[in-house]
Amino acid sequence: MTVLLALVVLASCKSGTEPASIPQFEAQAIDLPGVPNARQFGGYVIGDRQVRMDVLLRTGALANASEEALQSLHDRYKLALVADFRTSQERGKFADRIVEGTRYVWFPVLEKLLKVEDNADMEAVHINKDNPSFTLELLKRPAVQKYLRSTYDTIVFDEDYQRSYAAFLDSLVALPEGRAALWHCSHGKDRGGWGSAFVLAALGADRELIVADFGMSNIPYAKDIDELVSLAQSEGLADEMREDIYLLRGVSVPSFEKTLDSIDVRYGSLDNYLEQALLLTPEERAVMQDKFLVSR
């Protein structure tokens, strides 16, 4: 693949959790004050084409979006669709702010895992972002570790969540010409990251770009990651907890690639997964490629 963007080299940790290199975050970042991890696909090179600018946006939740951000999404991006992968609990606590004239669609992922009555510890992990000491105590619990380490496989292989992603891709196929789509979860990294992987794969991106885009989420959350790693180091737990910290506060590229490998084992390829699990037909992929890719 010809890489359009400069590479930023990150220091490798002992566990190898961080990616060795990723496309430059600033080249994909978009200015939406109050919206975390806001970036777009525009400019990514895929084969002999590249992704159209300002039409495919991946972000965190819009609950704290500023008036400036809402106006930009309306005026500059001509936003037509917001796809929300969050649970009903997350949506109830942190409702998206509304961009006028935009269709909001709910495609729940992890709805079954994040119910307070069934998984109080897991819910607590997600809502106690500003309490690292409490979070570290939770991360010591085997049930929480098991949940975090299985999340990517659950997102990809649970049939209910496959239906959510299938409906999401259908919404992009039907997106009006000249309008933008935005998809998000809470922090725009795991559920939103997998949605992004599926979109890139549908557009014909290779694994290198898909992995690089996923790993880019570690940049906006670097401070949160480092804070928790430092706290774990103070207790002599950094090495054994580093992977779980990345799964919670950022993303784990090795775990992401492991799940991609599992897709290959079960389905033969990511392309087959799109067709068999997410029911995306070759004709629909062609529509997406014609709509979202332009000549270089």
Side-chain angles (χ1 to χ4, degrees), residues 275-295:
E275 186 169 346
Q276 296 171 23
L278 305 190
L279 307 179
L280 187 69
T281 68
E283 293 76 17
E284 289 171 328
R285 289 187 67 172
V287 169
M288 290 180 64
Q289 291 171 8
D290 288 343
K291 184 178 297 187
F292 301 127
L293 299 179
V294 295
S295 299

Side-chain angles (χ1 to χ4, degrees), residues 161-175:
Y161 308 149
Q162 288 176 353
R163 282 189 282 272
S164 286
Y165 284 118
F168 163 59
L169 292 177
D170 286 345
S171 72
L172 295 185
V173 172
L175 188 74

Side-chain angles (χ1 to χ4, degrees), residues 1 4 10 18 70 112 122 140 189 203 220 228 262 265 289:
M1 177 190 72
L4 177 68
L10 299 180
E18 294 101 334
L70 299 178
K112 292 179 288 188
M122 280 55 114
K140 295 175 184 177
K189 61 185 190 69
L203 295 178
L228 206 51
S262 295
V265 169
Q289 291 171 8

Side-chain angles (χ1 to χ4, degrees), residues 24-274:
Q24 187 176 354
F25 178 81
E26 290 78 7
Q28 303 306 132
I30 54 179
D31 185 20
L32 296 176
V35 181
N37 199 9
R39 44 198 168 100
Q40 65 161 305
F41 285 172
Y44 276 155
V45 174
I46 298 177
D48 60 355
R49 294 190 283 181
Q50 67 184 42
V51 180
R52 189 184 301 275
M53 296 298 296
D54 297 344
V55 295
L56 294 175
L57 316 180
R58 54 164 299 174
T59 75
L62 303 182
N64 295 315
S66 68
E67 290 297 332
E68 177 187 347
L70 299 178
Q71 200 65 42
S72 181
L73 288 170
H74 181 273
D75 295 345
R76 173 178 176 178
Y77 296 100
K78 298 178 173 57
L79 191 67
L81 174 73
V82 171
D84 189 345
F85 297 126
R86 296 179 300 167
T87 67
S88 54
Q89 290 93 336
E90 292 169 304
R91 285 161 52 85
K93 291 176 182 176
F94 307 104
D96 276 346
R97 298 199 66 191
I98 302 300
V99 179
E100 183 181 355
T102 298
R103 177 181 174 227
Y104 283 68
V105 187
W106 183 36
F107 302 120
V109 179
L110 298 185
E111 177 77 4
K112 292 179 288 188
L113 287 181
L114 292 181
K115 292 181 179 178
V116 177
E117 64 269 25
D118 296 332
N119 293 290
D121 283 351
M122 280 55 114
E123 179 73 4
V125 164
H126 283 266
I127 65 176
N128 283 278
K129 181 177 177 60
D130 297 326
N131 191 337
S133 296
F134 179 68
T135 298
L136 189 66
E137 290 304 311
L138 286 172
L139 286 175
K140 295 175 184 177
R141 300 180 184 179
V144 172
Q145 296 169 5
K146 180 180 178 181
Y147 160 68
L148 289 172
R149 295 169 190 178
S150 65
T151 297
Y152 291 175
D153 278 359
T154 300
I155 287 172
V156 167
F157 296 119
D158 183 279
E159 292 184 358
D160 287 339
Y161 308 149
Q162 288 176 353
R163 282 189 282 272
S164 286
Y165 284 118
F168 163 59
L169 292 177
D170 286 345
S171 72
L172 295 185
V173 172
L175 188 74
E177 293 286 346
R179 304 290 298 278
L182 180 154
W183 58 93
H184 74 80
C185 48
S186 287
H187 304 294
K189 61 185 190 69
D190 300 316
R191 291 163 291 182
W194 276 104
S196 298
F198 300 145
V199 175
L200 285 171
L203 295 178
D206 61 17
R207 178 162 170 156
E208 179 185 358
L209 178 56
I210 291 169
V211 172
D213 180 78
F214 189 85
M216 203 185 300
S217 284
N218 281 334
I219 292 180
Y221 298 121
K223 181 178 178 181
D224 295 334
I225 295 168
D226 291 344
E227 182 179 39
L228 206 51
V229 168
S230 295
L231 187 60
Q233 285 175 334
S234 71
E235 297 189 22
L237 299 171
D239 288 344
E240 64 187 81
M241 299 190 70
R242 189 179 296 269
E243 185 75 5
D244 294 330
I245 289 170
Y246 269 83
L247 284 165
L248 177 63
R249 287 293 185 253
V251 295
S252 167
V253 172
S255 294
F256 179 70
E257 293 208 77
K258 188 179 297 184
T259 298
L260 288 177
D261 291 340
S262 295
I263 289 173
D264 289 343
V265 169
R266 296 194 192 191
Y267 290 91
S269 68
L270 186 53
D271 286 341
N272 288 345
Y273 174 86
L274 292 179

